[in-house]
């Protein structure tokens, strides 16, 4: 088991090396006129560093003046030490901006994740148990609509109905107008209120995948021989479903849930941007649109790490839960 | 009851193995088709997609409008026509060929306000002659003589020898009586008397300073010094007429103020209002000025007067302190933006004044085109790499699967956003952008397909029929393309259908964010982009709701079909 994990870890590190190398190469091959014009723009901001200082700083952190490979090594060296340079857009170290914003995204991701599991897994199991019934059709249609609905369209409808027509929530922002006059509890409630619409949007969009995955797996389990055996020996349907079938369905579900844990920190770029939640997604979007190379490079490496972690966790969990996998 | 019986008989028919049933042996594809059309969702999806294709490709041909045709309309709007201000300042009408500079004008005001009669500026000397509170004559002055009083004797010494004795007499007289203005031989003089001595100046008229605004009956007539002076004199002296350059002018005091008539026709009018039209080619005639003046005096907000073509036009009057703005109602040529659904535009128009229904049709073309091209490229790369990995295994499998892992880790949305913002900066043409977008999406999208193909290939390679192909000595390419690939096709079709929906969704997100399909090309995503303006979002639902529904229906259609196909291909999932 330990060897398996170590092997997977090493492979992940190699993959990460290549992914960041590719990303670095892409950023290096962005025409220099782009970099220079951004540096010039940034230099024009009040209280900013001068144009040449910006360029020099980029060279220092990103090794722009060296060959691609040496430059990459220099970047990787400082990145391992946690130094990703100063953000061009926010004018502060990338890591500092990251620390300021990540917890909003993590909170948003965590809540939606829990809600998603609570709603999707039982509905998926229900759909599988009553295959081809009206319930199954309804659940399938809802799941597919969730998958097919463009998140920006759904978010806009939510904003129109609940923020503009009914006026229950604010259109934008993480905190309300009177946030700083509230006590601690009030502050939490205020932030929570601003999270309601984004959470609804993300949950409905992301619920479909897990629901269908649960349904497919449950169907597979229900068709398995041991379920027939369980029924044949006269167990009640309740016990068959809740004890024999459910536990076996959990194997792939736990795997996929574990695998999506790191993704909670990725932030949802579009939803956060539309609702003005100052999480990592919106921050990164603003940075990318503004041509903030240090922050974009960091964010994309961060996402790559999260993806790798997700696959790693899923694989390890799979091995832990299902002993048959471990042998290979 | 009969209904139930029918159903029962049908069931019996299907289950029984009589001759009729036995003959019906269907090919595998026909079986798939049969299973597919039994699935209500799949049929719904097919109808959706068929409708969207019809809408986009046929609709685009039928619609009478172009993709980027801008619609315009005429609308009644008030436009600023003239500015009016009440005059309380002196206006200077200077004699021909002479100048009265701005500095001297200010000096004049200072002199008048401090009740003096002369001022000096540079080397020149000016004398102001007050006739009325609102009427002064400004004169140029030249020193001509000095007078010294010694006891009772007054000694006038002239610097100009041409001065006669008459002048001396008058000068002495003026010293005695302390007079400032006097006239000798129709020349005017001005004297400054100090205690012991006096200085005499000869003065020549330079300008008239008056608070009246002269308006003339014709736009070619300009202010003339002599004319204005004569008019002012006539008003001051209450004369009814004067003669100038052989013309006889009558001065009358009417309800509208003082008016000057020439040959019994109105020639000029003296108003207290300054009226300046906004456009230089517009001339406000006297009658119109009177109408405006009356409107101001009577505090009217709106009045009607004929315009240049003699038609009645509506004018509006706005007041700001002592300034008024006259606005004229005109029909204006406008872009027909955000017009509500009507017979002409079934879904209204967007912010650029383009027909939304037409934009939706062309947007559908682009979305579907992007979807198909991206998926075809994706499948091409995916099948080749996945097939190679699965069939040859070992080193190739390892290498390709690690490449798949690497591509899997590259976040596609952020990468495309950055590329889009770079292309913005470099001003890449919209067509080029479209192609780059498709290539990048395909290049980042193939790993999923490659994985599936590899998995299937690994599984099929171990099957007996593949061993049989090897045993019969078929060459590798034939084994792969004739026997392996056809067996992957069902899964391939399913995954392609599902990723069609995914690609269209992704494209709409990118276009919505403004980094995908760009104007002038229409795309469902960039039509919805209008909601970044909250006013459009809340007031013009017809702009963005239909586009969103189009995306939803298309993607849903592909997902329904893909789902139905998966069920249809999978014999285990029989109903």
């Amino acid at each position: 088991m330990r060897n398996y994990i170590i092997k997977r870890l090493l492979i992940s590190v190699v993959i990460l090396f290549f992914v960041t190398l590719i990303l670095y190469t892409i950023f290096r091959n962005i025409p220099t006129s782009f970099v220079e014009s951004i540096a010039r723009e940034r230099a024009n901001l009040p209280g900013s560093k001068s144009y040449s200082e910006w360029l020099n700083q980029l060279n220092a952190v990103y090794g722009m003046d060296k060959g691609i490979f040496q430059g990459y090594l220099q970047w990787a060296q400082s990145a391992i030490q946690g130094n990703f340079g100063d953000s061009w857009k926010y004018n502060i170290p990338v890591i500092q901006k990251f620390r300021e914003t990540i917890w909003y995204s993590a909170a948003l991701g965590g809540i939606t994740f829990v809600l998603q599991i609570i709603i999707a897994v039982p509905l998926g199991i229900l759909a599988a148990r009553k295959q081809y019934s009206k319930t199954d059709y309804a659940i399938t249609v809802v799941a597919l609509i969730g998958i097919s609905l463009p998140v920006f369209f759904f978010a806009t409808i939510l904003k129109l109905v609940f923020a503009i027509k009914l006026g229950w929530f604010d259109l934008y922002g993480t905190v309300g107008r009177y946030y700083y006059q509230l006590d601690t509890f009030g502050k939490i409630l205020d932030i929570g209120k601003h999270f309601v619409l984004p959470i609804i949007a993300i949950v409905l969009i992301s619920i479909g995948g897990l629901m269908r995955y649960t349904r497919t797996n449950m169907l597979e389990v229900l068709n398995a021989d041991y379920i027939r055996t369980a029924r044949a020996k006269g167990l009640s349907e309740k016990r068959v479903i809740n004890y024999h079938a459910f536990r076996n369905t959990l194997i792939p579900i736990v795997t996929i849930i574990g695998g999506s844990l790191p993704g909670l920190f990725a932030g949802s770029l579009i939803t956060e941007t539309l609702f003005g939640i100052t999480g990592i997604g919106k921050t990164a979007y603003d940075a990318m649109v503004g041509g903030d190379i240090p922050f974009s490079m960091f964010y994309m490496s961060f996402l790559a790490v999260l993806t790798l972690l997700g696959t790693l966790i899923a694989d390890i969990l799979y091995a832990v839960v299902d002993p048959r996998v471990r042998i290979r | 009851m009969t209904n139930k019986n029918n159903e029962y008989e049908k069931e019996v028919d299907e289950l029984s193995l009589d001759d009729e049933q036995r003959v019906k042996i269907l090919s595998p594809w026909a079986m798939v088709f049969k299973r597919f059309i039994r699935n209500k969702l799949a049929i719904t999806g097919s109808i959706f997609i068929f409708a969207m294709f019809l809408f986009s490709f046929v609709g685009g041909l039928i619609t009478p409008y172009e993709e980027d045709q801008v619609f315009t309309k005429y609308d009644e709007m008030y436009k600023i026509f003239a500015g009016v201000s009440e005059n309380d300042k002196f206006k200077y009408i200077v004699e021909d060929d002479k100048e009265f500079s701005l500095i001297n004008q200010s000096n004049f005001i200072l002199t008048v306000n401090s009740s003096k009669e002369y001022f000096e500026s540079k080397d020149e000397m000016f004398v102001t002659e007050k006739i009325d509170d609102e009427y002064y004559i400004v004169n140029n002055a030249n020193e001509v003589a000095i007078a010294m009083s010694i006891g009772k004797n007054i000694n006038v010494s002239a610097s100009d020898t041409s001065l006669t004795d008459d002048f001396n007499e008058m000068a002495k007289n003026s010293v005695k009586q302390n007079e400032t203005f006097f006239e000798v031989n129709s020349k005017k003089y001005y004297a400054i008397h100090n205690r012991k001595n006096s200085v005499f100046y000869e003065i020549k008229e330079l300008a008239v300073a008056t608070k009246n605004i002269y308006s003339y009956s014709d736009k070619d007539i300009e202010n003339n010094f002599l004319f204005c002076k004569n008019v002012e004199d006539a008003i001051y002296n209450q004369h009814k007429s004067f003669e100038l350059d052989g013309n006889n002018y009558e001065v009358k005091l009417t309800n509208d103020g003082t008016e000057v008539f020439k040959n019994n026709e109105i020639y000029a009018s003296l108003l207290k209002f300054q009226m300046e039209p906004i456009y230089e080619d517009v001339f406000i005639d006297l009658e119109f000025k009177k109408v405006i003046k009356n409107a101001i005096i009577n505090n009217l907000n709106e009045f009607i007067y004929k315009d240049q073509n003699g038609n009645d036009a509506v004018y509006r009057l706005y007041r700001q302190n002592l300034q008024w703005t006259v606005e004229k109602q005109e029909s204006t040529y406008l872009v027909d933006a955000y017009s509500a659904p009507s017979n002409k535009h079934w879904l209204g128009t967007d912010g650029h004044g383009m027909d939304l229904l037409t934009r939706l049709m062309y947007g559908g073309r682009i979305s579907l085109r992007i979807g198909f091209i991206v998926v075809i490229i994706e499948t091409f790369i995916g099948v080749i790499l996945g097939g190679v990995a699965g069939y040859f295994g070992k080193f190739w499998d390892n290498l390709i699967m690690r490449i798949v892992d690497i591509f899997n880790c590259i976040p596609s949305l952020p990468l495309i956003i950055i590329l889009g913002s770079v292309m913005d900066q470099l001003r890449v043409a919209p067509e080029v952008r479209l192609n780059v977008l498709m290539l990048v999406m395909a290049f980042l999208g193939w790993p999923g397909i490659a994985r599936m193909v590899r998995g299937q290939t690994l599984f099929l390679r171990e099957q007996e029929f593949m061993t049989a192909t090897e045993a019969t000595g078929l060459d590798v390419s034939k084994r792969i393309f004739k026997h392996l690939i056809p067996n992957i096709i069902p899964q391939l079709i399913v995954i392609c259908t599902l990723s069609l929906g995914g690609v269209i969704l992704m494209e709409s997100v990118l276009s919505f964010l403004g980094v995908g399909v760009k104007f002038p090309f229409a795309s469902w995503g960039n039509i919805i982009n209008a909601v970044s303006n909250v006013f459009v979002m809340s007031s013009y639902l017809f702009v963005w709701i239909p586009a969103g529904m189009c995306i939803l229906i298309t993607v849903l259609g592909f997902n329904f079909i893909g789902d139905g196909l998966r069920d249809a291909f999978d014999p285990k999932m029989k109903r």
Side-chain angles (χ1 to χ4, degrees):
Chain A
M1 186 70 192
R2 194 205 288 156
N3 286 344
Y4 176 74
I5 294 176
I6 289 173
K7 192 183 151 206
R8 291 301 317 244
L9 260 176
L10 285 177
I11 292 176
S12 297
V13 169
V14 173
I15 291 173
L16 185 65
F17 169 78
F18 280 108
V19 170
T20 45
L21 182 61
I22 290 174
L23 291 179
Y24 182 83
T25 313
I26 291 172
F27 278 111
R28 271 300 294 269
N29 285 326
I30 286 174
T32 41
S33 65
F34 171 76
V35 176
E36 280 166 9
S37 66
I38 293 289
R40 204 164 289 129
E41 246 170 57
R42 294 276 164 269
N44 282 336
L45 293 177
S48 169
K49 301 168 186 177
S50 75
Y51 166 68
S52 53
E53 248 181 293
W54 273 118
L55 271 192
N56 287 341
Q57 187 207 339
L58 196 79
N59 283 339
V61 180
Y62 284 71
M64 284 294 207
D65 43 358
K66 301 201 181 88
I68 286 183
F69 199 69
Q70 279 103 330
Y72 170 74
L73 288 182
Q74 187 181 335
W75 175 84
Q77 203 180 353
S78 49
I80 289 170
Q81 293 163 357
N83 174 20
F84 288 86
D86 278 8
S87 157
W88 288 36
K89 184 171 175 67
Y90 303 106
N91 240 340
I92 52 173
V94 168
I95 291 295
Q96 188 186 335
K97 189 72 194 169
F98 169 71
R99 284 210 193 97
E100 284 170 15
T101 54
I102 186 65
W103 295 112
Y104 288 110
S105 290
L108 197 61
I111 298 169
T112 49
F113 188 62
V114 171
L115 282 177
Q116 196 187 325
I117 294 171
I118 292 176
I119 298 172
V121 174
L123 282 183
I125 289 173
L126 185 70
R129 277 180 56 192
K130 304 190 172 176
Q131 201 188 0
Y132 302 130
S133 68
K134 282 204 173 110
T135 326
D136 182 27
Y137 266 118
I139 289 173
T140 306
V141 169
V142 168
L144 282 178
I145 286 180
I147 294 172
S148 313
L149 201 57
V151 62
F152 57 90
F153 181 57
F154 184 55
T156 311
I157 291 178
L158 283 181
K159 274 163 82 169
L160 178 73
V161 174
F162 293 103
I164 293 180
K165 300 284 177 201
L166 296 175
W168 291 354
F169 303 101
D170 287 354
L171 256 187
Y172 296 107
T174 319
V175 294
R177 197 181 298 166
Y178 305 109
Y179 177 73
Y180 293 102
Q181 295 157 20
L182 298 169
D183 53 7
T184 317
F185 185 65
K187 280 182 182 177
I188 293 172
L189 275 187
D190 189 49
I191 293 182
K193 195 180 166 193
H194 284 85
F195 273 14
V196 171
L197 288 186
I199 286 173
I200 295 176
I202 300 175
V203 166
L204 192 102
I205 297 298
S206 54
I207 210 174
L210 189 60
M211 205 147 50
R212 292 193 58 68
Y213 190 74
T214 313
R215 176 181 178 267
T216 316
N217 277 301
M218 188 71 181
L219 278 180
E220 224 158 78
V221 170
L222 285 178
N223 285 333
D225 291 344
Y226 54 83
I227 296 294
R228 200 187 306 145
T229 314
R231 283 195 177 122
K233 71 181 185 184
L235 290 179
S236 66
E237 184 65 15
K238 211 171 159 189
R239 191 165 169 83
V240 171
I241 298 293
N242 291 349
Y243 195 77
H244 293 258
F246 181 65
R247 288 177 122 199
N248 278 294
T249 319
L250 274 186
I251 296 175
I253 292 176
V254 164
T255 317
I256 201 175
I257 287 176
S260 50
L261 270 176
L264 301 183
F265 293 90
S268 55
L269 204 135
I270 297 158
T271 319
E272 281 178 16
T273 308
L274 278 178
F275 286 103
I277 304 285
T278 51
I280 186 81
K282 179 178 160 39
T283 313
Y285 174 72
D286 291 342
M288 287 184 289
V289 171
D292 183 348
I293 289 179
F295 200 95
S296 310
M297 181 79 199
F298 165 75
Y299 179 63
M300 290 174 72
S301 317
F302 177 63
L303 287 187
V305 171
L306 290 183
T307 315
L308 279 173
L309 263 180
T311 338
L312 198 64
I313 292 177
D315 284 351
I316 293 172
L317 269 182
Y318 204 47
V320 169
V321 181
D322 192 346
R324 285 169 296 182
V325 184
R326 244 173 278 171
I327 304 157
R328 266 183 276 166
Chain B
M1 205 51 206
T2 43
N3 206 4
K4 252 189 185 169
N5 268 346
N6 278 350
E7 253 174 45
Y8 175 73
E9 276 167 22
K10 226 162 104 191
E11 222 166 276
V12 169
D13 268 356
E14 274 176 16
L15 293 177
S16 62
L17 277 175
D18 53 11
D19 286 344
E20 199 190 340
Q21 287 290 320
R22 223 171 293 162
V23 181
K24 269 192 194 168
I25 296 169
L26 295 171
S27 72
W29 284 99
M31 291 284 288
V32 167
F33 181 71
K34 203 177 164 192
R35 277 200 290 264
F36 182 78
I37 57 169
R38 270 205 219 143
N39 188 333
K40 279 178 214 149
L41 286 185
I43 293 300
T44 319
S46 309
I47 294 172
F48 280 176
I49 297 302
F50 184 68
M52 280 335 280
F53 263 93
L54 221 57
F55 174 74
S56 305
F57 288 93
V58 182
L61 296 176
I62 293 173
T63 175
Y65 308 130
E66 296 290 315
E67 181 182 6
D68 48 5
Q69 188 177 350
V70 176
F71 290 90
T72 49
K73 63 175 177 188
Y74 283 97
D75 205 356
E76 296 289 305
M77 268 179 77
Y78 283 98
K79 279 190 173 174
I80 296 181
F81 176 73
V84 180
S85 56
E86 190 164 12
N87 186 55
D88 58 348
K89 293 191 185 92
F90 280 107
K91 299 281 164 189
Y92 307 92
I93 298 126
V94 187
E95 200 166 5
D96 296 346
D97 308 330
K98 287 190 180 169
E99 261 183 67
F100 190 51
S101 67
L102 277 176
I103 296 175
N104 291 336
Q105 291 180 10
S106 341
N107 281 330
F108 167 78
I109 300 289
L110 288 173
T111 314
V112 168
N113 287 348
S114 54
S115 318
K116 284 185 190 162
E117 287 183 325
Y118 61 91
F119 63 91
E120 277 176 88
S121 163
K122 285 188 180 167
D123 296 333
E124 286 181 295
M125 166 102 178
F126 297 92
V127 175
T128 63
E129 193 177 348
K130 180 179 178 178
I131 300 186
D132 190 337
D133 271 349
E134 301 193 342
Y135 171 35
Y136 285 76
I137 293 175
V138 185
N139 298 284
N140 255 326
N142 275 317
E143 191 181 325
V144 287
I146 305 169
M148 305 275 276
S149 348
I150 304 159
K152 283 193 177 173
N153 274 338
I154 300 166
N155 188 11
V156 178
S157 57
S159 55
D160 188 343
T161 46
S162 67
L163 292 173
T164 57
D165 291 344
D166 291 347
F167 170 80
N168 282 345
E169 267 321 296
M170 289 300 282
K172 283 174 189 169
N173 208 25
S174 83
V175 174
K176 278 179 198 153
Q177 306 195 349
N178 207 14
E179 271 180 359
T180 48
F181 289 97
F182 60 92
E183 204 169 320
V184 181
N185 294 340
S186 73
K187 276 185 181 173
K188 286 168 108 184
Y189 296 92
Y190 177 72
I192 301 174
H193 303 292
N194 295 322
R195 210 146 56 100
K196 291 271 170 163
N197 54 7
S198 304
V199 186
F200 296 93
Y201 299 90
E202 181 187 348
I203 56 177
K204 281 177 187 159
E205 286 168 348
L206 172 68
V208 170
T210 173
K211 289 191 177 176
N212 285 322
I213 303 284
Y214 284 77
S215 306
Y216 299 97
S217 59
D218 195 288
K219 64 176 164 187
D220 293 331
I221 306 173
E222 284 178 5
N223 272 336
N224 179 289
F225 172 76
L226 279 177
F227 173 77
C228 294
K229 185 170 179 288
N230 275 311
V231 173
E232 295 287 339
D233 283 343
I235 296 169
Y236 178 70
N237 298 322
Q238 297 188 340
H239 287 165
K240 294 271 185 233
S241 66
F242 62 90
E243 211 169 311
L244 184 69
D245 292 338
N247 290 318
N248 195 46
Y249 296 91
E250 277 180 88
V251 181
K252 284 183 188 166
L253 196 66
T254 63
N255 290 340
D256 299 314
T258 310
E259 294 186 334
V260 183
F261 292 84
K262 177 186 183 181
N263 303 332
N264 282 335
E265 273 176 35
I266 190 155
Y267 179 74
S269 181
L270 274 61
L271 300 168
K272 287 282 176 207
F273 293 98
Q274 174 100 355
M275 300 180 188
E276 291 294 338
I278 292 296
Y279 301 108
E280 283 190 4
D281 56 339
V282 175
F283 174 70
I284 308 178
D285 63 19
L286 278 177
E287 204 176 329
F288 190 20
K289 282 187 176 169
K290 277 188 222 163
V291 172
I292 296 177
K293 184 186 158 192
N294 286 333
I296 289 173
I297 291 170
N298 298 328
N299 257 334
L300 295 179
N301 288 329
E302 223 174 51
F303 59 93
I304 294 176
Y305 187 74
K306 61 180 193 297
D307 62 10
Q308 280 156 309
N309 303 326
N311 303 320
D312 277 353
V314 182
Y315 293 86
R316 262 200 320 207
L317 206 58
Y318 274 118
R319 180 176 182 163
Q320 297 159 312
N321 302 325
L322 287 175
Q323 306 253 322
W324 288 264
T325 313
V326 182
E327 291 183 339
K328 184 185 180 188
Q329 194 185 53
E330 282 177 43
S331 66
T332 314
Y333 196 52
L334 286 175
V335 169
D336 193 7
Y338 299 126
S339 80
S342 62
N343 272 341
K344 199 176 160 210
H345 305 291
W346 289 0
L347 287 178
T349 58
D350 66 3
H352 299 281
M354 298 176 183
D355 183 66
L356 264 170
L357 189 65
T358 312
R359 296 285 286 174
L360 283 180
M361 288 167 178
Y362 281 91
R365 282 186 187 188
I366 289 211
S367 291
L368 290 171
R369 201 176 89 196
I370 290 182
F372 275 98
I373 291 180
V374 169
V375 167
I376 286 171
I377 302 176
E378 248 176 42
T379 314
F380 185 73
I381 305 176
V383 166
I384 289 186
L385 289 183
V388 167
Y391 191 82
F392 293 105
K394 287 170 202 148
F395 169 74
W396 291 108
D397 187 26
N398 239 323
L399 179 74
I400 292 174
M401 278 307 106
R402 292 299 83 79
I403 294 177
V404 165
D405 282 342
I406 289 170
F407 271 83
N408 218 26
C409 279
I410 296 178
S412 50
L413 185 61
L415 190 63
I416 296 177
I417 291 176
I418 288 171
L419 288 181
S421 106
V422 171
M423 285 191 281
D424 272 352
Q425 201 91 12
L426 298 177
R427 293 170 205 284
V428 175
E431 304 93 62
V432 182
R433 282 187 80 114
L434 201 62
N435 295 333
V436 172
L437 180 75
M438 288 192 286
L439 280 180
V440 172
M441 282 173 77
F443 204 63
L444 293 172
W446 62 268
I449 294 178
R451 243 186 209 159
M452 190 280 294
V453 173
R454 178 221 174 219
Q456 280 298 312
T457 317
L458 272 181
F459 167 73
L460 290 173
R461 202 179 59 173
E462 307 300 327
Q463 302 291 305
E464 278 88 357
F465 75 92
M466 283 310 288
T467 323
T469 58
E470 209 172 340
T472 45
L474 293 177
D475 60 342
V476 175
S477 66
K478 202 162 189 185
R479 266 187 267 161
I480 293 179
F481 291 108
K482 203 94 203 251
H483 296 276
L484 197 69
I485 300 282
N487 281 293
I488 304 174
I489 280 188
Q491 280 87 350
L492 208 55
I493 291 178
V494 171
I495 205 170
C496 284
T497 324
L498 292 177
S499 50
L500 263 174
V503 168
I504 291 175
L505 205 56
M506 178 85 163
E507 180 272 327
S508 74
V509 167
L510 291 170
S511 302
F512 172 76
L513 292 176
V515 290
V517 180
K518 282 263 184 183
F519 190 81
F521 288 120
S523 139
W524 292 332
N526 71 20
I527 292 172
I528 302 188
N529 184 260
V531 300
S532 50
N533 179 341
V534 176
F535 186 69
V536 175
M537 178 178 117
S538 55
S539 315
Y540 302 123
L541 297 186
F542 58 85
V543 173
W544 58 274
I545 296 271
M549 295 312 287
C550 279
I551 300 175
L552 177 61
I553 288 175
T554 311
V555 180
L556 200 59
F558 281 123
N559 280 338
F560 278 166
I561 294 179
D563 216 50
L565 280 175
R566 179 158 48 201
D567 284 356
F569 280 130
D570 193 348
K572 273 192 291 183
M573 295 280 191
K574 57 178 183 284
R575 16 192 76 208

